Amino acid sequence: RTIPQKIYHRWIYRLERKTLDVADAVTCDCLYTKKKLEEVFGYTESHVVNIGIDNTLFRPIDVKRSAWAIPENKTVLFFAGNLSKRKGADLLPAIMKLLGDQYILVVASGQKEKTVSGCPNIINLGRLDLNNLVQIYNLCDIFLTASRLEGFGLSVAEAMACGKPVVATNCSSLPELVVDGKGGFLCEMDNVQEFADKIQQLAADDSMRWEMGVYNRKSVEDRFTIETMTKGYLNVYQSLL
């Protein structure tokens, strides 16, 4: 963290401490956040209500690669999110250099307009609206995130809802979404070689990608829908009446 970030976090910590003291109920968007709340603040009474995905919007659809000028004979990876060190954006060029020119990484940036440079097989699309975002989720073969810290992992859940396998870091909340070996692969943090190896393993097996995508779609339908989230919040409110 930078010095300004450290100052900001100390200030936020004091505000959060006061908020916890007066709250009738506290919700967390994943089990990892609940555990960190207990670790940092000693607060043990929070409720886990996972974020809900609109699975009528984020769903498997047919997308023509030609509409995005992406070759048919390449394995396409997709990364969506802020291009920060926390998100592991600094690892993406190294991973793509190991994979070589048979692979393309499409990058959609988050709130900050940045790009990933230093590798010819990376395509930066900048910020995308929802409809285009859904198209790229469906256009890719594999969703990739090398994040070092995630609260819930919204982009991972969106990719899962679109029926895509995921290669992600084995850290924070990501194992709550991605079941290793069933919905994708979880890699050691900062292990560029392992990320490349798992991507190559998936790229070489069409049936594995399809099966993992089907598994992920069902996982979202079972656990991460807007309806499930709504029921979770209603249960919290009802417990306070």
Side-chain angles (χ1 to χ4, degrees), residues 90-138:
D90 56 306
L91 301 176
L92 299 178
I95 293 171
M96 295 311 296
K97 284 177 182 177
L98 281 178
L99 291 173
D101 60 8
Q102 288 303 305
Y103 295 80
I104 291 175
L105 174 63
V106 178
V107 175
S109 62
Q111 296 177 350
K112 298 179 180 179
E113 290 288 353
K114 292 184 178 180
T115 59
V116 179
S117 58
C119 206
N121 54 349
I122 295 178
I123 299 174
N124 292 280
L125 296 182
R127 295 180 65 180
L128 297 175
D129 61 31
L130 275 179
N131 289 329
N132 285 329
L133 186 61
V134 171
Q135 285 199 40
I136 302 300
Y137 277 127
N138 279 279

Side-chain angles (χ1 to χ4, degrees), residues 48-53 219-235:
V48 176
V49 180
N50 293 132
I51 291 176
I53 304 299
S219 182
V220 169
E221 290 174 339
D222 290 344
R223 301 189 294 153
F224 303 121
T225 63
I226 291 176
E227 290 77 16
T228 302
M229 177 181 67
T230 302
K231 289 178 182 177
Y233 280 114
L234 285 174
N235 288 337

Side-chain angles (χ1 to χ4, degrees), residues 157-214:
E158 290 172 347
M160 290 170 60
C162 292
K164 296 300 173 179
V166 177
V167 177
T169 313
N170 188 14
C171 73
S172 55
S173 66
L174 294 174
E176 297 178 49
L177 283 81
V178 181
V179 179
D180 190 39
K182 291 187 176 181
F185 293 112
L186 296 171
C187 301
E188 180 186 22
M189 188 184 299
D190 296 339
N191 191 332
V192 171
Q193 185 64 60
E194 186 177 10
F195 275 98
D197 290 344
K198 294 303 184 183
I199 290 168
Q200 288 171 331
Q201 183 178 342
L202 267 175
D205 195 330
D206 293 348
S207 62
M208 180 187 290
R209 293 199 308 277
W210 183 83
E211 289 169 4
M212 287 183 168
V214 170

Side-chain angles (χ1 to χ4, degrees), residues 16 29 38 55-56 61 72 86 110 122 125 132 150 193 205 224:
E16 290 179 338
D29 59 9
E38 295 175 1
N55 61 331
T56 63
I61 58 173
E72 296 288 343
R86 179 174 71 83
I122 295 178
L125 296 182
N132 285 329
E150 285 291 339
Q193 185 64 60
D205 195 330
F224 303 121

